[in-house]
Amino acid sequence: MIRICEAHELSEALIEAFARLLPQLSERLETPDREAVARIVAAPAVRQLTAVTAEGRIVGLLSVAFYDVPSGRKAWIEDVVVDAAVRGRGVGEALVRAALDAAREEGAARVMLTSNAARQAAHRLYERMGFVRYETDCFRLEL
């Protein structure tokens, strides 16, 4: 049994989950330190969702950020990762559904996300949930 919870405060379990799960998302990601995790949890425009087992172990993470621009209120899903040991059991779908519920609560007109081209299972999940591939170019600048 998996529960989807929103992290409202810093905890050792959350710090450990970031350290364990983010490398499974990308080997290039640096693990956020205690202060960074505290900032993430405290950010007013971000909801940090966790997938938690009955034993209290965090096995999935998803961040959803909200922002207002002239074209409307939007939500952006980031850093979706499910522990390899529990993939294929609906954890990712439960996290995304919770993010979509949060977006509705926040009045977002649109929810967006990006996904690495190599993550085909994630692509199938997003398409199954109604996301449509949007023809655009994504630009990035490392600061």
Side-chain angles (χ1 to χ4, degrees):
M1 179 64 132
I2 300 290
R3 292 177 297 118
I4 305 302
C5 303
E6 184 175 347
H8 293 286
E9 57 188 38
L10 183 66
S11 70
E12 293 304 319
L14 189 60
I15 294 167
E16 183 276 330
F18 271 92
R20 179 173 37 84
L21 296 174
L22 284 180
Q24 294 182 45
L25 180 61
S26 173
E27 294 174 357
R28 294 185 311 240
L29 288 176
E30 290 186 27
T31 302
D33 62 18
R34 177 179 211 83
E35 292 75 26
V37 176
R39 281 193 310 274
I40 292 164
V41 173
V46 175
R47 292 196 191 183
Q48 181 58 56
L49 303 180
T50 61
V52 184
T53 66
E55 298 77 32
R57 183 171 173 82
I58 297 172
V59 294
L61 298 168
L62 177 151
S63 300
V64 59
F66 301 96
Y67 61 100
D68 294 289
V69 292
S71 57
R73 184 153 180 79
K74 297 178 183 173
W76 196 276
I77 293 174
E78 292 272 355
D79 300 334
V80 181
V81 60
V82 174
D83 194 317
V86 298
R87 287 185 191 150
R89 299 182 192 172
V91 175
E93 182 173 348
L95 282 164
V96 174
R97 285 199 189 288
L100 296 176
D101 289 345
R104 286 183 195 93
E105 289 171 16
E106 292 283 341
R110 187 170 291 124
V111 178
M112 296 164 294
L113 57 81
T114 59
S115 183
N116 183 298
R119 297 179 53 106
Q120 291 301 308
H123 292 193
R124 288 189 298 275
L125 167 66
Y126 301 142
E127 289 170 349
R128 191 171 66 246
M129 295 186 74
F131 284 85
V132 177
R133 190 178 303 262
Y134 190 67
E135 296 302 322
T136 187
D137 290 321
C138 182
F139 294 86
R140 178 172 74 184
L141 174 66
E142 300 289 336
L143 298 178

